[in-house]
């Protein structure tokens, strides 16, 4: 089975994280759980900064998952993702998206 990928606003986010779980049970919210791994803490901070720059937008953007490439959602991030994991080179992050029209 191939690895799940995510595109947000036409940007492939696969270089920044690996998808662990996609919860689409609520039609108005998608919860994405991902793992971020780098070789050192500096690289992790750069990746998190790049991810925040891409995700934190005021407008709704196309959100596409590789397991359903024919579908897309108009979504925006509800709140900044939690970065509280204490390991500097490894993070498990939950990202919550609000979607339009379920």
């Amino acid at each position: 089975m191939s690895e799940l990928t995510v595109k947000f606003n036409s940007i492939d986010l696969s270089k920044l994280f690996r998808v662990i779980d996609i919860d689409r049970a609520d039609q108005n919210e998608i919860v994405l759980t991902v793992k971020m791994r780098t070789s050192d803490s500096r690289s992790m901070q750069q990746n998190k900064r790049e991810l925040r720059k891409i995700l934190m937008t005021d407008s709704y953007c196309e959100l596409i998952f590789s397991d359903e490439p024919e579908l897309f959602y108009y979504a925006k991030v509800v709140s900044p993702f939690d970065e509280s994991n204490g390991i500097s080179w490894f993070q498990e992050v939950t990202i919550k998206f609000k979607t339009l029209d379920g």
Side-chain angles (χ1 to χ4, degrees):
M1 185 174 162
S2 63
E3 206 168 290
L4 283 172
T5 60
V6 178
K7 283 188 179 180
F8 184 70
N9 198 17
S10 301
I11 300 170
D12 185 357
L13 302 177
S14 301
K15 65 180 180 170
L16 298 172
F17 57 65
R18 190 179 73 156
V19 176
I20 302 304
D21 185 48
I22 305 170
D23 181 355
R24 296 173 253 207
D26 181 348
Q27 292 187 3
N28 298 311
E29 181 179 84
I30 295 173
V31 180
L32 183 64
T33 304
V34 303
K35 288 187 178 180
M36 301 174 72
R37 173 175 281 167
T38 61
S39 58
D40 56 45
S41 60
R42 181 182 178 127
S43 298
M44 177 60 73
Q45 292 307 317
Q46 290 171 337
N47 281 2
K48 289 192 296 187
R49 196 173 4 268
E50 185 176 349
L51 185 58
R52 276 192 300 271
K53 189 171 90 175
I54 294 167
L55 294 178
M56 299 313 293
T57 177
D58 292 331
S59 58
Y60 286 85
C61 301
E62 281 188 4
L63 178 64
I64 303 170
F65 300 102
S66 62
D67 65 338
E68 294 182 314
E70 69 284 353
L71 298 177
F72 66 89
Y73 303 87
Y74 283 112
K76 70 177 181 177
V77 175
V78 175
S79 61
F81 53 87
D82 180 17
E83 305 174 31
S84 60
N85 187 336
I87 302 172
S88 61
W89 52 269
F90 177 81
Q91 299 278 300
E92 185 168 310
V93 176
T94 300
I95 305 168
K96 293 181 183 179
F97 294 92
K98 180 179 178 184
T99 62
L100 291 176
D101 299 331

